[in-house]
Amino acid sequence: MIHPPARTTRRGDLPVPGRRRPPDSAGAVLRAILDHGPIARSSVARATRLSAASVSGVTASLLERGLIREAREAAGPPGIGRPHVPLDIEAGRVAVLGVHIAVPRTTVALLDLRGQVLAQRQDLHGARDPQSVLTALAERVAALRRRHARRRILALGLATGGWVDAVSGTVVEHPPLGWRDVPAAARLAAATGLPVFADTNSRALLRAEQLFGASTEQARRSAVLLFVGNVVDVAFSTGGVIHQGPRSAAGAIAHLPVEGCCETCSCGRTGCLQAAVSERVLVRRAVAAGLIERPDIHGIVDAARAGSPGAAVLLQERARLVGRAAALLHDLFDPEVLVVAEGGANRLPECLATVRAQLSPDVAATVRASSFPDRVLATAGGAVALDQLYAAPL
Ligand SMILES: [Zn+2]
């Protein structure tokens, strides 16, 4: 049994880097413009059930802040009263930054307000201690901002695995990295001067599905997101609200027991889901079998796509275990959509089919791959910031 180090910080002492605000009417207007833009003010009023005067006031503020723009084409006849100029999201002059901390590497990305990844870079960690990783991240963020200096950066979102307290922006526990009580958002806020928000991989990606995904309607009603990388975590939502839990600890599924796994988990036991399906284990097996040259999950997926039976078997085994976890989650939550963000299912239809095959046939079609298969990590970080923007933009 591994004994975790004693806590050096009480969570109540940690600084609050960014106030998470509940959705407001300005957020409703901005989301209506995201969903339907270019859209006339009168249509925004109908979509949001706000008064014309409220919409007019909010859109004036959103225009002033540079979050929306007036589209060129005028929808009404010229010269009669105020022209009906449609509104759209400003995709050109503003952006957010997304940061993702994985076990072997970091991702730093620039995203526009439609969630499109404009630029990203990935770097392997040097040292893995929080100070080294966050210092290196701040330098990469600064470099990315210099290259895109014409864009105004509104906020920075941070996503990572383990237990993240979204209220204080603290990585409470990340056992594979050995982190505990790291005020990551506050440190990045101090280094960048930006508002910084943090959350888990799965909650971040569920927010992205709700804002920009392939099935936003279902994802906004009820959804489960299962993230599988080197860490495994889950998020679920009903009525558009993602459950955080009073300690921000909801979704810890890493140590779900699975049969036939003899890998040692970060908790010291064997037979945990996270150890059985982690990329680290998969890559080690693929390297040992001579299936891949570069040690990463994408190499295994590429090999399977190129026809390697060994790579396909490894991914199918993982898909079967992931599917059994998905089946359990479906039984618990009965969501309209269950998104599996996993390297194989994201890019190989046969892996998604194996995941689905673990559920009963009448609900198997609710399982989807990520809407962002080639940019999952960049999207996760950015979505944490964009979710805040679309909740309360003013
Ligand atoms: Zn475990």
Side-chain angles (χ1 to χ4, degrees):
M1 186 75 185
I2 294 171
H3 296 282
R7 287 184 181 219
T8 53
T9 316
R10 286 185 297 126
R11 289 175 60 212
D13 295 339
L14 298 170
V16 178
R19 198 160 46 96
R20 294 184 76 83
R21 294 184 294 178
D24 60 18
S25 58
V29 168
L30 192 60
R31 288 193 301 278
I33 297 170
L34 172 71
D35 289 346
H36 308 294
I39 179 174
R41 288 172 176 79
S42 55
S43 302
V44 172
R46 274 196 299 279
T48 56
R49 298 181 184 177
L50 293 167
S51 71
S54 296
V55 169
S56 179
V58 166
T59 53
S61 300
L62 292 173
L63 280 165
E64 192 181 333
R65 215 182 149 206
L67 303 180
I68 60 173
R69 64 184 175 85
E70 292 187 316
R72 263 185 215 145
E73 65 273 29
I80 306 170
R82 189 175 177 186
H84 294 270
V85 181
L87 301 168
D88 208 350
I89 294 295
E90 172 57 67
R93 284 177 284 186
V94 286
V96 299
L97 287 160
V99 166
H100 184 271
I101 302 173
V103 176
R105 63 175 67 82
T106 59
T107 303
V108 175
L110 186 76
L111 292 87
D112 71 16
L113 301 198
R114 290 193 172 280
Q116 293 298 311
V117 177
L118 305 168
Q120 68 166 309
R121 62 175 287 179
Q122 295 197 316
D123 298 270
L124 291 169
H125 297 311
R128 285 189 185 178
D129 64 285
Q131 179 71 25
S132 302
V133 170
L134 294 172
T135 300
L137 268 175
E139 288 167 3
R140 287 163 201 153
V141 164
L144 193 60
R145 289 178 82 177
R146 282 196 296 276
R147 278 201 301 280
H148 297 271
R150 290 170 64 186
R151 288 197 184 246
R152 185 160 54 91
I153 306 299
L154 300 171
L156 188 155
L158 165 66
T160 188
W163 177 3
V164 178
D165 183 347
V167 176
S168 65
T170 305
V171 180
V172 182
E173 275 183 348
H174 193 310
L177 273 178
W179 288 18
R180 198 169 177 88
D181 279 340
V182 177
R187 289 194 189 165
L188 286 174
T192 63
L194 291 167
V196 179
F197 304 95
D199 216 333
T200 61
N201 294 320
S202 56
R203 289 199 289 258
L205 286 168
L206 183 45
R207 295 182 204 288
E209 294 287 345
Q210 290 176 329
L211 284 170
F212 316 109
S215 358
T216 51
E217 298 267 316
Q218 293 99 318
R220 290 175 193 183
R221 286 196 293 264
S222 63
V224 169
L225 194 139
L226 172 58
F227 176 90
V228 181
N230 268 309
V231 296
V232 179
D233 52 62
V234 173
F236 62 96
S237 68
T238 52
V241 178
I242 297 176
H243 182 74
Q244 297 270 160
R247 302 175 303 146
S248 247
I253 198 179
H255 310 292
L256 183 78
V258 294
E259 292 167 14
C261 170
C262 47
E263 296 290 339
T264 303
C265 178
S266 57
C267 71
R269 295 187 294 261
T270 56
C272 295
L273 175 66
Q274 181 165 282
V277 300
S278 80
E279 288 180 6
R280 173 181 58 85
V281 169
L282 209 64
V283 165
R284 195 189 69 218
R285 287 179 185 163
V287 169
L291 299 171
I292 53 173
E293 289 177 5
R294 59 189 166 97
D296 70 44
I297 182 74
H298 301 300
I300 304 175
V301 176
D302 289 343
R305 284 166 71 119
S308 160
V313 165
L314 282 179
L315 290 171
Q316 287 290 344
E317 282 175 13
R318 188 196 212 201
R320 191 178 55 78
L321 290 170
V322 170
R324 290 176 70 171
L328 174 68
L329 292 166
H330 200 285
D331 287 347
L332 282 170
F333 297 110
D334 193 19
E336 289 200 33
V337 62
L338 195 161
V339 179
V340 174
E342 186 268 330
N346 283 349
R347 292 179 56 206
L348 295 169
E350 57 271 31
C351 284
L352 181 60
T354 299
V355 173
R356 284 178 168 160
Q358 311 309 311
L359 286 82
S360 60
D362 56 325
V363 298
T366 60
V367 176
R368 313 269 176 89
S370 170
S371 300
F372 319 99
D374 52 351
R375 52 197 159 100
V376 168
L377 303 183
T379 299
V384 179
L386 289 167
D387 171 70
Q388 285 296 303
L389 183 77
Y390 279 99
L394 297 177

